[in-house]
Amino acid sequence: MADKKVVSIDLGREVVKFAFAEVSKGSAKLTGCQSVTLEIAHDADDSAWRAAVLEVLKQQKAAGSLDKKSEIYVTLPSAQVLARALKVPTAELQTQIEEEAKKNLPLPIEEAEWGYNVVGEAGDQSHVSLLAVKSSVVEDINAIFEEAGLSLAGATSGALNLADLLIAEDKGSVEPPTAVLSIGASSANLVIAEGTKVWMRALPVFGSTLVSALTAGGASYDEARKTLLEQVDLGNAESESPKAV
């Protein structure tokens, strides 16, 4: 019997994605995944997005997929997560990391929720991924879950999760250097891993930009989005060009 149930939730601008797992004695088993499309316009404002996300969470709770016994983790909006790759002397990591955060973050540390992961070591230096987000962003997300009658166990970065997965899949060291571009509706994450080093950035090239470019031929936004989803294979260099809409 599982010690606990864990749910990871990715709050996208157009789709909310769920991953369900059971954790027992240090091992985890993925038991299911689900994507729910938000029933809002592509250019909906934040209040409409919030209401749509709240409705999805309530539906999942009513269906029994989410409950107070589940440990729920959420990925923070990529465009609002600040990431920095640092080198810090390993022996001084615990005492220096806060000062490094103050120097490298473009906002007062008192106004941020921040943390770090040590992704590798080289000699006497630790490679550190420093992450931060405005406290108000975390407070807003917490408020949505509280209104749905749920509580969060933690929040993380989808980009850093991708990097951790790359390192884990290569048994602790990524060779050759590997890049992953994850394109969302309102932001994109570029993650590069080499050995135990991680470099990541949120980029201003995203799904809605690609869809808008496809509307230049006269297609509606919904038609262009369908073309992108069904006819363009960005992972296959030999795939045919999308047909004109």
Side-chain angles (χ1 to χ4, degrees):
M1 184 176 180
D3 295 332
K4 60 184 177 182
K5 294 182 179 180
V6 176
V7 184
S8 297
I9 304 176
D10 181 30
L11 299 178
R13 288 298 299 184
E14 296 186 359
V15 179
V16 178
K17 296 176 283 291
F18 299 85
F20 304 94
E22 293 182 351
V23 178
S24 179
K25 296 181 180 180
S27 64
K29 177 183 178 182
L30 185 67
T31 58
C33 298
Q34 186 176 2
S35 294
V36 181
T37 300
L38 300 177
E39 299 299 328
I40 56 175
H42 71 274
D43 56 354
D45 61 17
D46 287 344
S47 61
W49 175 82
R50 186 187 190 282
V53 169
L54 179 59
E55 181 61 26
V56 168
L57 294 177
K58 288 181 176 179
Q59 290 173 356
Q60 293 289 323
K61 183 182 177 184
S65 299
L66 300 176
D67 57 47
K68 291 185 177 181
K69 295 181 180 179
S70 301
E71 282 193 10
I72 302 174
Y73 296 86
V74 65
T75 58
L76 296 165
S78 299
Q80 299 187 53
V81 175
L82 304 168
R84 298 290 185 269
L86 308 175
K87 285 185 180 179
V88 182
T90 302
E92 302 172 14
L93 179 61
Q94 298 300 319
T95 57
Q96 275 198 8
I97 190 62
E98 185 169 342
E99 287 303 314
E100 292 294 328
K102 290 178 180 178
K103 289 191 296 184
N104 285 277
L105 296 178
L107 76 164
I109 198 169
E110 297 80 11
E111 299 176 9
E113 299 290 336
W114 66 280
Y116 68 95
N117 277 0
V118 177
V119 296
E121 295 183 2
D124 61 353
Q125 298 289 307
S126 288
H127 294 281
V128 177
S129 292
L130 177 68
L131 301 172
V133 64
K134 287 184 178 180
S135 298
S136 58
V137 173
V138 178
E139 291 167 1
D140 289 344
I141 292 175
N142 270 321
I144 296 174
F145 279 83
E146 288 174 1
E147 191 170 342
L150 301 165
S151 60
L152 287 177
T156 186
S157 159
L160 186 57
N161 287 346
L162 278 175
D164 288 343
L165 181 60
L166 286 173
I167 293 173
E169 283 295 305
D170 278 16
K171 297 180 173 56
S173 182
V174 181
E175 295 296 341
T178 303
V180 176
L181 179 62
S182 174
I183 302 176
S186 60
S187 66
N189 288 325
L190 177 62
V191 178
I192 300 174
E194 178 183 9
T196 58
K197 302 175 185 177
V198 174
W199 184 91
M200 51 194 169
R201 286 290 184 272
L203 304 176
V205 178
F206 37 82
S208 58
T209 304
L210 299 177
V211 175
S212 295
L214 290 175
T215 64
S220 69
Y221 187 91
D222 288 339
E223 290 171 332
R225 184 175 183 276
K226 184 177 180 180
T227 297
L228 181 63
L229 291 174
E230 297 181 358
Q231 298 184 35
V232 179
D233 183 0
L234 295 176
N236 184 355
E238 296 179 358
S239 63
E240 295 181 0
S241 299
K243 298 176 182 178
V245 177

